[in-house]
Amino acid sequence: MTAATMTATTAGPILALDLGKYKSVACAYPGDPADARFESLTTDREHLRKLFAKHRPALVVFEACALAGWVHDLCAELGLPRRVANTASEAWKFKHTRRKTGKDDARRLAQLQALGQLPTVTVPPTQTRQWRALIACRQALVGRRCAAQNRVRALLVGQGLPAPRGARAWTESGLGGIARHAKPLADCAADELWRGLLELALTEYRQAKALIDRAEAKLDALARADAGVRLLQTIPGVGPRTAETVVAYLGNAGRFGSGKQVSAYGGLVPRQYQSGESDRRGRITRRGPALLRKLLVECAWVMLRYNAWARAVYARLSRGKARKKQAIVALARKLLVRCWAMLRDGTPWRAEPGAEAPAAPA
């Protein structure tokens, strides 16, 4: 019997939760699979409080999901030990199973914990989770704005009119010129509905832009108050949006023991396929926060214009045009590791002495 199982037997059961949006399944696991008890409940704070008071668990286990944050906070408020399972881990994947229910998920959580094989993740504080949510919301709004711009271009090109080009086309004067072709949809005849669609697209663009301005105003205020964001902005080519994303997702830099762990967390390391004498590397794993990878890669392209270190790394790794994308991904990984080291040590950016800086690529 493992130590976790002995603790569950003497101090209380392991309480595993399969969390659902409306209904959840709880498995009280005292150590023997035959004695496991299941219970369905409504997913809210009141019912979870009653469940915890009823079973008095030695440990609460649940999987990482959209509900894991407030459940983790509730357990902390009640003083209950808790562990959050990493569902992206290989140990958690269901393979060749004919049945997968809420009871199966809850039982598997409890059994993996009892065996000491449960892969876990760290749950950041409430402020960090909400900071991440605001960053993701701003990124979604940028996607909406870009989609509205593409619709405006498509409508104008479809009528043989010149498509807007450059940043000036989306200023107030540029939008005023585009709006001359638009008309309220209710006033459009059957053969000029494109004018009404253009008016809708312009309205959506203005709304998305206004929401982005509000989100960025709050993000700028949070960035000014965070020492880590200010520290990362000393890197030439790294702006507030990339810096705040790195700080929000890395959190406490001390929780990573090495640069390899940071790279693996960002999903920027290659997959490894090894069998017998065969050992090869594949594409990057893409595990971890996708938004962090996206902004790091975008920032890596921008750094080629402003950062001599980035240009030197890119020139060494690209080996011509055939490996441009691979070199950029590698540069993004190196940038993430350097950001982690700066946050860990509290030191500003220092360029490598004596590094030759090739000219920026066209």
Side-chain angles (χ1 to χ4, degrees):
M1 184 178 293
T2 63
T5 307
M6 292 177 62
T7 303
T9 304
T10 57
I14 296 173
L15 187 62
L17 301 174
D18 179 61
L19 297 173
K21 186 182 299 183
Y22 305 110
K23 290 287 185 180
S24 298
V25 177
C27 173
Y29 191 84
D32 187 349
D35 296 333
R37 292 170 293 165
F38 297 93
E39 181 178 342
S40 297
L41 67 151
T42 304
T43 309
D44 58 26
R45 293 177 180 270
E46 180 182 356
H47 286 84
L48 280 182
R49 285 179 183 272
K50 293 179 179 178
L51 179 73
F52 295 151
K54 174 182 177 181
H55 292 282
R56 299 183 181 276
L59 182 69
V60 180
V61 184
F62 47 93
E63 59 188 5
C65 60
L67 311 176
W70 68 264
V71 176
H72 181 275
D73 294 343
L74 179 61
C75 292
E77 177 185 338
L78 298 176
L80 295 174
R82 60 274 178 200
R83 301 193 75 189
V84 182
N86 180 11
T87 54
S89 174
E90 293 292 334
W92 180 245
K93 292 183 179 179
F94 287 84
K95 295 182 179 180
H96 311 297
T97 56
R98 296 185 178 182
R99 188 186 71 173
K100 182 180 182 301
T101 64
K103 287 185 177 181
D104 296 328
D105 283 354
R107 182 190 293 111
R108 184 174 178 84
L109 278 169
Q111 289 176 339
L112 287 175
Q113 171 57 37
L115 294 172
Q117 298 179 357
L118 184 72
T120 60
V121 295
T122 302
V123 178
T126 305
Q127 295 86 346
T128 303
R129 297 200 306 269
Q130 296 189 10
W131 192 13
R132 292 180 182 180
L134 181 56
I135 293 172
C137 176
R138 182 256 174 194
Q139 193 66 27
L141 290 171
V142 170
R144 284 179 49 189
R145 182 182 64 184
C146 183
Q149 289 175 320
N150 291 336
R151 279 196 294 274
V152 169
R153 292 190 185 97
L155 289 167
L156 293 176
V157 170
Q159 299 301 317
L161 299 172
R165 289 184 179 181
R168 292 185 179 180
W170 307 104
T171 61
E172 285 302 321
S173 59
L175 291 174
I178 298 173
R180 289 198 298 267
H181 302 289
K183 183 187 294 187
L185 189 59
D187 300 337
C188 293
D191 59 347
E192 57 176 7
L193 292 178
W194 71 272
R195 297 183 183 274
L197 295 175
L198 181 61
E199 195 268 340
L200 293 178
L202 288 174
T203 301
E204 183 177 2
Y205 172 81
R206 289 192 172 95
Q207 290 176 347
K209 185 177 182 302
L211 293 175
I212 290 172
D213 292 340
R214 290 167 58 182
E216 289 184 347
K218 184 60 178 178
L219 287 172
D220 289 339
L222 294 173
R224 287 192 296 269
D226 191 277
V229 177
R230 297 196 303 268
L231 186 66
L232 294 187
Q233 286 186 264
T234 61
I235 305 175
V238 174
R241 301 290 80 87
T242 303
E244 69 194 9
T245 304
V246 172
V247 173
Y249 279 96
L250 290 187
N252 179 19
R255 67 191 180 101
F256 297 101
S258 65
K260 290 183 179 180
Q261 292 181 5
V262 178
S263 302
Y265 169 76
L268 292 168
V269 294
R271 299 177 184 270
Q272 185 176 13
Y273 303 90
Q274 186 176 24
S275 178
E277 297 181 358
S278 175
D279 188 2
R280 60 188 179 90
R281 302 295 179 93
R283 298 177 180 270
I284 59 174
T285 62
R286 295 180 181 269
R287 290 186 177 179
L291 180 57
L292 177 62
R293 286 193 303 276
K294 172 183 171 62
L295 292 183
L296 284 171
V297 171
E298 290 180 358
C299 183
W301 284 112
V302 174
M303 287 180 70
L304 296 181
R305 299 176 58 188
Y306 304 104
N307 194 303
W309 167 80
R311 289 196 295 270
V313 172
Y314 177 82
R316 177 169 56 84
L317 297 176
S318 60
R319 302 175 188 174
K321 295 182 179 181
R323 292 180 55 86
K324 286 199 304 183
K325 293 182 179 179
Q326 293 91 330
I328 282 295
V329 173
L331 177 59
R333 183 191 65 79
K334 290 179 178 293
L335 173 61
L336 177 61
V337 173
R338 283 214 162 193
C339 290
W340 163 74
M342 291 170 61
L343 294 172
R344 178 197 60 190
D345 302 334
T347 56
W349 171 263
R350 294 195 304 267
E352 292 183 354
E356 295 293 333

